[in-house]
Amino acid sequence: MGKIDEVLENGFEKIGKAVGTHPAKFITASVIVSAMLGYGFSKLESETRPERQWVAKGALALEHSEYVANTWPGASRFNLFTATCADVSLDDCNILDPKYIARFHEINQRIMNITIDGDEIVADLDAAHKKTGSWSQFAGQWTFSGKAVDKNGTVSFDGRKCFSFGPFCGKSSVLDVFRDDENVIMNLDTAGVQQAVNFWEDQEGMCPLSIATANSPCMDDNCQKYNTGAERSACRSLATTYCSTACPTTTFIYQGEEVTVPVDVETCMDRGCIQLGALQSITTAAPDPAMLNTDPNATGNAPESAFEFAPSPMKTMVGSLSGEGNVKYTKGKFLQGYWVINKDELYCPEAGNADPVADEWERLALCELGIDADPRATPKLECPKDDLLEFNGLFGRSFGDEFGAAIRGDIAKLSSSYFVIIIYLGIMIGKRDAIHSGITLSVSAVLIVGLTIASSFGLMGLAGVPNSNLNQNLYFLILGLGVDDAFVLSSEFVRHTTMNPELSIEQRAALTAKTGGISVLITSATDALAFLVGSSTVLPALGWFCTYAGTAIIFCFIFQLTVFLPVLALNARRAEANRRDCICCCKTHPRAIDDPQGCCLCCTPKVCGDDMLRRGLKFAATQATTPPGQAITILIFTIVAAVGLFGSTQVYKDFKLEWFIPDSSYVNEFFNINSEHFASGTQFNVNMRETPDVFEAQSNMRDVFEYLNTTSLVNRDVAVNSWYEEFMEWAVNPDLAETATAVFNPPRSDPRAAFGDRTAFYTALHWWYRNTQGSRYRNNMKWADSDCQVDGTTQDLPAGCDPTEGLKAHRFSAEYTLASTDLGTNRYDTMTASREAIAEKYPGAFPFSRDFLYWEEVGIIDHELVRNLLVCGAVIIVIVAALVPVPRIAVWVIFCIILSVVETLGYMYFWGVTISGVSTIYILICVGLAVDYAAHIAHMFKESSGSSRERAIAAVERIGPCTFNAVFSTFLAVIVVGFSDSYVFRIFFQVLFLVVILAGAHGLWLLPVILSLVGGAKEHTSTAVENVKPAIDAESSSPEEPARGA
């Protein structure tokens, strides 16, 4: 025996004797300590923000995210939807049928009319927090478009919840093709729909009239994009004639303002005529036919940018488009679109970032689509599905709703898995007997899990370590490890009771701690140290989990000695008094622990229970350690290892946030439809800071724009949105008064023309910015002088504004290609490559999308997994070598553990599991389980005597039932979780199922076979007899089996 073993065994023996002598005191003290530490639960702070959990410490995405949040605080929430036919099959569906467009218009109107009572929300928040808080920003009445009001000559909108792109609310759908004109839409026929959808993409200018009517002037060449006064006059004449019959209007003065209305609203078949009629002023002279109203220079030539219009491609609004004959588009299967609302959030430690107005608007909007986003919310909503249209979507609140619903739905399954372990523990830890049923022991084993969680979580709360949702998996880990330890200690106690009935309870408790304590220590110390060392990872959530896990395993080990072992002693006292288990006030006739009198499913103890399992494992070990059995075993595991090793070289890293959504969710269906029918890349912004000065960086902006238009990473089918290119295209026009005297270097005619004077540059830029020409770029520019910011079009420079102070921030936008963002590694490489290229062309500039926060994880998760596995491996080697100080045994234990983990990784690949933060957590849990399954066998092999084969058989016979019970109980539990509908629990099932099968087989089958070949013989010593030799049934002993213990 090694010196370390001797010291540890003597120490455990002393602990066991003390515990056996004063069991009630140890239990009471443990509960008091746990209760005191449990106070820390009130100090726990939960971190719910994904970017704070899964983005590596110091990652660029965190810095960029903080910059974007501070610089562009008016963030948006995109609410996307798809719709298809609900009344016919998908094969028979033609979503371009006028009835479907009309029905969608009706639903859209109901969504536009949703009103949120912000005052009620504020009152509820005041009541919930019992104080008046800083949430007054949510007060008022909120609608999507808001109420238009005149503020100092500028149109503004009160209660507007939509996110504005310039003066326009952010929304898009097929209704844009019909200008969302109710009379046009409700009177559509098939010909009108086909005419509109086929002409939509060919427009060069935004026609104010409907393109769905047969005689629409929008189809005329003169109205497409006129450049001269004559062309404009011809278009105006044609439009006037058209409107005289389609929608006659009248203009009058109301409260000093001109108002144009239809002569008959009910018969107005094109509301674009109202806009056209408003151009005919009744208070001023009619404009010269050669002059355009939009031409500030009165030259008769239309400024180019005033008429630029980029219609959304039809394929982004209608999915599975197809045509017939010469008609390009006649049919489609799906509609797609979005509503964008403003995100005005407050941070709450309990719930994270929240915008209750946006949340409630989205809940009501989803209800209009037939989706009850949160059945628990009040007031309850009735959300019947539409009879013509079936909707799916991805709203701002969808991830939280669906992931939360999945977790709540899986709580029952997870609770069932705990219940399965508890029931199995109760069946296997005791006997079929009223006195020795083991129910009390089972309850105490579960109580230890509760004490462990209370103590470890409480201590983490006091230490200020954040809590995350992933820590919910600790319950399963601690229950699994605790059950394993309980099996070991109870088995050793029963063994010493059976072999040495004359010993006192205190002596048996001491011997149990002496022989079982080392086995439990090996697994607990290895797992705890591996997790604690692994907590130094750069991934916060992974580090927190490792810290919680390591601490919990230490507490679990302590409570096994200070709670479960005392319960074993108290239980023995009860049994010796012939009192029934659980109903200890009732006595029954005496019986020995190995002579159960009760019966559940078996007739005699000879054919059921622990004896049957022990004999079965002994028989299997006996057969496996014969020469043929050894050859077959090595062949089987060589094949298993070869396949696993190959898979481990193929497994790849990938993660998508949508994987957290349950398969049956409307959100998951949206992703499926979007991927198949509307596949697109990821949109991103190129953010440029205050320095270098924009005027000085004109050439840099050209370089960035050229890069975005030439790199293979960016989708060239989607226009790069650059305010600078649009501004310069307007500015170089020599006929413009605003830039007529400006100096350009290179000159105006050069494709890379640039302003040569800083003052002229910023003066012209602000004129363009505050007028119609640059209105759609207002959300992409932040002026250094805050007085220069405007929300609406204004001719005059705002009071106090000095545009020459420059821009504080500005940005371009583009979209990555689908191919460059399809897999996790591609997404990470795309992000890093574009970062480097853009920073090189424009110092300080960087691309950013919210998705980058999750792409960062993919870049380092494999390194972090390997790092943590190496750390675990190093800890395992040190602990196993120290506590199993026989190299020929220790090396094979380590080999089996490592092989189990590598094979688990390999078979994950064949099962479609990728390397992600979630799977990494479960792989680390698997390391702990693999150590348990192998270390117990190795420890008992070391303690056994005889030939190497005899020692292997004896080890399996003695500790095998405990290990098998731990394996099988975990197997039963993960089978229950395997029916989960969510990604987290599905991966949990897949990874733990693999490790239970693989690590369990390596521990119970391969390791004994290897040790039977190379473990070596050990002579029997008198001092080890009573503690080591297994009890053998007389009828089952053989010359090759170990002799009966004393």
Side-chain angles (χ1 to χ4, degrees):
M1 177 186 295
K3 194 66 177 178
I4 295 178
D5 274 7
E6 184 178 351
V7 172
L8 289 174
E9 287 189 356
N10 290 336
F12 278 119
E13 188 173 12
K14 291 177 181 179
I15 293 173
K17 185 175 181 179
V19 165
T21 305
H22 308 287
K25 292 181 180 179
F26 275 89
I27 294 174
T28 302
S30 298
V31 172
I32 291 174
V33 170
S34 180
M36 293 174 63
L37 289 173
Y39 167 74
F41 256 107
S42 63
K43 303 293 185 179
L44 271 180
E45 293 186 3
S46 296
E47 181 56 76
T48 58
R49 292 169 291 182
E51 67 272 18
R52 298 297 179 186
Q53 298 183 62
W54 292 111
V55 183
K57 300 171 186 176
L60 270 177
L62 280 178
E63 177 195 335
H64 292 167
S65 177
E66 183 177 358
Y67 170 84
V68 170
N70 292 332
T71 306
W72 310 98
S76 59
R77 289 169 58 149
F78 270 77
N79 300 290
L80 301 99
F81 70 88
T82 62
T84 190
C85 309
D87 57 338
V88 295
S89 68
L90 185 61
D91 291 338
D92 295 329
C93 174
N94 181 12
I95 202 68
L96 293 179
D97 188 304
K99 68 176 181 180
Y100 298 120
I101 296 174
R103 178 60 57 85
F104 175 60
H105 171 74
E106 294 173 2
I107 295 172
N108 180 71
Q109 285 302 110
R110 294 201 297 268
I111 291 174
M112 293 296 100
N113 293 332
I114 290 174
T115 301
I116 304 300
D117 189 345
D119 295 331
E120 182 178 348
I121 289 175
V122 170
D124 290 343
L125 288 171
D126 288 342
H129 294 81
K130 298 180 180 179
K131 64 178 182 178
T132 300
S134 58
W135 34 77
S136 57
Q137 66 198 65
F138 303 125
Q141 302 298 304
W142 299 89
T143 61
F144 185 79
S145 300
K147 181 181 180 181
V149 294
D150 187 341
K151 293 183 178 180
N152 299 322
T154 300
V155 176
S156 184
F157 296 87
D158 285 345
R160 189 177 211 182
K161 193 56 187 171
C162 75
F163 184 80
S164 300
F165 295 90
F168 307 108
C169 275
K171 62 187 179 74
S172 175
S173 73
V174 73
L175 298 179
D176 296 341
V177 176
F178 309 99
R179 293 186 55 80
D180 208 6
D181 189 324
E182 182 170 355
N183 283 354
V184 171
I185 292 172
M186 301 310 292
N187 289 279
L188 278 174
D189 57 19
T190 300
V193 171
Q194 292 184 8
Q195 174 179 294
V197 299
N198 283 283
F199 179 71
W200 172 256
E201 295 176 329
D202 296 332
Q203 297 179 90
E204 293 187 65
M206 179 63 180
C207 183
L209 304 175
S210 172
I211 60 173
T213 54
N215 57 342
S216 171
C218 297
M219 307 300 174
D220 188 87
D221 291 340
N222 287 323
C223 291
Q224 279 297 296
K225 189 177 183 181
Y226 45 82
N227 294 306
T228 66
E231 291 174 347
R232 175 190 177 281
S233 296
C235 177
R236 176 64 63 83
S237 175
L238 188 64
T240 301
T241 302
Y242 165 80
C243 286
S244 64
T245 56
C247 182
T249 61
T250 181
T251 302
F252 55 89
I253 302 297
Y254 177 75
Q255 294 184 352
E257 298 288 338
E258 290 187 6
V259 178
T260 301
V261 297
V263 173
D264 187 344
V265 176
E266 298 298 326
T267 61
C268 176
M269 301 308 299
D270 191 339
R271 295 191 179 181
C273 293
I274 301 174
Q275 179 180 346
L276 189 67
L279 297 177
Q280 303 296 330
S281 173
I282 62 174
T283 60
T284 60
D288 189 300
M291 189 185 81
L292 299 178
N293 288 355
T294 54
D295 177 13
N297 304 308
T299 61
N301 294 319
E304 185 79 11
S305 60
F307 293 90
E308 285 183 350
F309 171 62
S312 302
M314 283 302 304
K315 65 180 181 180
T316 66
M317 297 186 289
V318 183
S320 293
L321 281 166
S322 61
E324 293 180 358
N326 295 326
V327 182
K328 186 177 180 180
Y329 302 137
T330 59
K331 295 180 180 179
K333 303 294 184 185
F334 296 92
L335 297 180
Q336 179 177 258
Y338 58 79
W339 300 282
V340 192
I341 59 176
N342 192 52
K343 180 169 62 176
D344 188 14
E345 295 180 333
L346 285 179
Y347 176 70
C348 175
E350 293 81 10
N353 294 318
D355 180 346
V357 173
D359 288 339
E360 184 63 11
W361 187 92
E362 290 173 0
R363 186 171 83 102
L364 296 178
L366 282 166
C367 188
E368 294 292 348
L369 303 183
I371 299 169
D372 191 352
D374 186 2
R376 303 175 306 152
T378 55
K380 299 291 184 183
L381 301 176
E382 294 293 332
C383 305
K385 293 188 178 297
D386 190 73
D387 59 331
L388 287 182
L389 293 173
E390 177 183 345
F391 289 92
N392 291 290
L394 174 61
F395 277 41
R397 63 176 294 150
S398 295
F399 272 113
D401 288 337
E402 294 304 291
F403 185 55
I407 295 297
R408 289 190 296 273
D410 285 325
I411 288 299
K413 297 184 181 71
L414 197 59
S415 300
S416 298
S417 69
Y418 297 154
F419 188 69
V420 166
I421 292 179
I422 294 169
I423 295 298
Y424 186 82
L425 178 65
I427 293 173
M428 300 306 297
I429 206 170
K431 305 288 184 179
R432 265 49 62 188
D433 186 85
I435 293 178
H436 306 292
S437 67
I439 294 176
T440 300
L441 297 179
S442 302
V443 172
S444 65
V446 177
L447 173 63
I448 288 173
V449 176
L451 294 175
T452 298
I453 294 299
S455 301
S456 57
F457 276 61
L459 181 60
M460 293 299 97
L462 294 172
V465 180
N467 183 29
S468 72
N469 289 331
L470 280 178
N471 289 338
Q472 304 303 317
N473 295 299
L474 285 177
Y475 303 139
F476 192 95
L477 174 64
I478 298 304
L479 185 59
L481 297 179
V483 165
D484 184 25
D485 295 341
F487 275 127
V488 171
L489 293 177
S490 63
S491 175
E492 287 297 290
F493 191 87
V494 170
R495 175 177 173 276
H496 290 302
T497 299
T498 304
M499 293 180 61
N500 307 287
E502 73 283 358
L503 295 179
S504 67
I505 292 175
E506 291 80 5
Q507 289 174 314
R508 280 177 269 162
L511 288 175
T512 298
K514 180 179 180 180
T515 58
I518 292 288
S519 187
V520 173
L521 176 64
I522 293 174
T523 58
S524 299
T526 305
D527 293 343
L529 284 176
F531 278 117
L532 289 176
V533 175
S535 65
S536 61
T537 175
V538 297
L539 289 176
L542 185 55
W544 302 334
F545 175 83
C546 288
T547 303
Y548 275 79
T551 306
I553 291 171
I554 292 173
F555 276 112
C556 184
F557 169 73
I558 293 172
F559 289 137
Q560 292 294 334
L561 297 178
T562 63
V563 176
F564 190 75
L565 193 56
V567 169
L568 279 172
L570 291 175
N571 189 64
R573 293 180 184 178
R574 176 197 56 76
E576 289 186 354
N578 300 316
R579 296 184 180 277
R580 292 177 179 271
D581 201 359
C582 295
I583 313 175
C584 56
C585 57
C586 300
K587 289 190 174 183
T588 185
H589 60 277
R591 75 286 305 274
I593 192 172
D594 56 353
D595 184 29
Q597 302 295 308
C599 182
C600 294
L601 299 175
C602 310
C603 297
T604 67
K606 295 292 183 182
V607 295
C608 68
D610 188 60
D611 293 332
M612 180 180 69
L613 177 58
R614 190 180 301 279
R615 288 198 301 272
L617 289 172
K618 177 186 175 183
F619 175 79
T622 301
Q623 298 303 314
T625 54
T626 61
Q630 292 167 335
I632 293 173
T633 298
I634 292 174
L635 176 62
I636 291 174
F637 279 91
T638 299
I639 296 173
V640 171
V643 176
L645 287 171
F646 171 76
S648 67
T649 64
Q650 303 299 309
V651 67
Y652 60 94
K653 52 186 179 179
D654 197 6
F655 172 74
K656 292 182 180 179
L657 196 59
E658 56 262 34
W659 289 352
F660 282 105
I661 302 300
D663 295 338
S664 58
S665 166
Y666 72 92
V667 178
N668 196 63
E669 185 62 24
F670 170 85
F671 280 119
N672 292 336
I673 293 172
N674 186 68
S675 176
E676 183 176 353
H677 302 282
F678 300 98
S680 61
T682 301
Q683 293 186 343
F684 67 96
N685 290 320
V686 176
N687 293 272
M688 287 156 275
R689 310 174 195 255
E690 189 169 5
T691 55
D693 184 81
V694 174
F695 170 73
E696 302 292 341
Q698 292 182 76
S699 178
N700 301 94
M701 287 187 284
R702 295 279 196 190
D703 292 340
V704 171
F705 182 74
E706 290 174 5
Y707 166 76
L708 295 176
N709 279 282
T710 55
T711 176
S712 60
L713 301 178
V714 173
N715 187 357
R716 298 179 192 178
D717 293 332
V718 177
V720 174
N721 196 347
S722 166
W723 68 264
Y724 180 73
E725 293 297 321
E726 291 288 327
F727 166 65
M728 290 304 296
E729 187 175 351
W730 168 83
V732 295
N733 186 342
D735 297 324
L736 290 177
E738 287 71 27
T739 62
T741 61
V743 176
F744 290 84
N745 183 25
R748 298 174 187 266
S749 58
D750 194 293
R752 293 178 64 88
F755 275 82
D757 179 75
R758 190 174 188 277
T759 301
F761 171 75
Y762 282 117
T763 301
L765 177 60
H766 197 277
W767 191 98
W768 176 83
Y769 158 85
R770 70 178 184 264
N771 280 275
T772 305
Q773 290 83 348
S775 60
R776 70 188 183 103
Y777 294 101
R778 288 176 191 149
N779 287 325
N780 293 326
M781 303 165 70
K782 292 282 184 180
W783 291 89
D785 184 346
S786 58
D787 291 332
C788 294
Q789 294 293 137
V790 299
D791 294 326
T793 299
T794 176
Q795 288 285 332
D796 299 324
L797 187 71
C801 167
D802 181 6
T804 60
E805 290 188 15
L807 291 178
K808 177 182 178 181
H810 57 109
R811 57 189 178 180
F812 298 166
S813 63
E815 180 182 294
Y816 289 124
T817 63
L818 187 63
S820 67
T821 57
D822 56 348
L823 297 176
T825 51
N826 289 344
R827 289 192 289 274
Y828 181 78
D829 292 343
T830 294
M831 176 183 68
T832 54
S834 57
R835 274 179 181 168
E836 294 173 1
I838 289 172
E840 179 182 352
K841 299 178 184 308
Y842 193 120
F846 61 90
F848 182 77
S849 166
R850 183 74 177 175
D851 292 342
F852 284 12
L853 292 168
Y854 310 107
W855 295 6
E856 286 276 13
E857 175 195 328
V858 176
I860 63 168
I861 192 61
D862 54 341
H863 302 295
E864 289 302 303
L865 174 60
V866 171
R867 173 190 173 279
N868 279 275
L869 289 178
L870 290 176
V871 167
C872 290
V875 172
I876 290 169
I877 291 172
V878 172
I879 298 296
V880 171
L883 299 182
V884 186
V886 183
R888 66 168 61 189
I889 299 175
V891 68
W892 293 109
V893 175
I894 296 168
F895 170 77
C896 285
I897 294 170
I898 294 175
L899 193 60
S900 299
V901 175
V902 172
E903 289 175 1
T904 299
L905 281 171
Y907 285 95
M908 281 169 50
Y909 165 73
F910 295 111
W911 210 346
V913 180
T914 61
I915 301 299
S916 67
V918 174
S919 61
T920 295
I921 292 289
Y922 298 143
I923 291 168
L924 295 181
I925 292 177
C926 291
V927 174
L929 296 177
V931 171
D932 277 8
Y933 301 157
H936 291 319
I937 297 293
H939 177 67
M940 291 308 172
F941 180 89
K942 178 180 74 72
E943 297 296 309
S944 301
S945 59
S947 67
S948 59
R949 182 174 181 236
E950 290 172 341
R951 296 173 73 191
I953 296 172
V956 172
E957 183 183 10
R958 179 175 173 181
I959 202 67
C962 299
T963 304
F964 178 84
N965 285 330
V967 170
F968 194 67
S969 61
T970 306
F971 174 80
L972 290 177
V974 298
I975 287 294
V976 174
V977 179
F979 293 98
S980 171
D981 197 29
S982 69
Y983 168 76
V984 172
F985 288 102
R986 189 165 59 247
I987 298 301
F988 180 76
F989 159 71
Q990 291 174 303
V991 177
L992 263 71
F993 178 88
L994 287 172
V995 81
V996 164
I997 299 299
L998 294 171
H1002 283 73
L1004 283 171
W1005 184 0
L1006 178 61
L1007 183 58
V1009 168
I1010 293 176
L1011 293 178
S1012 72
L1013 290 170
V1014 301
K1018 179 181 179 182
E1019 292 185 3
H1020 171 70
T1021 59
S1022 59
T1023 57
V1025 169
E1026 71 172 12
N1027 297 331
V1028 177
K1029 303 300 289 183
I1032 308 295
D1033 295 332
E1035 65 273 22
S1036 66
S1037 62
S1038 67
E1040 294 185 9
E1041 294 169 350
R1044 181 189 302 273

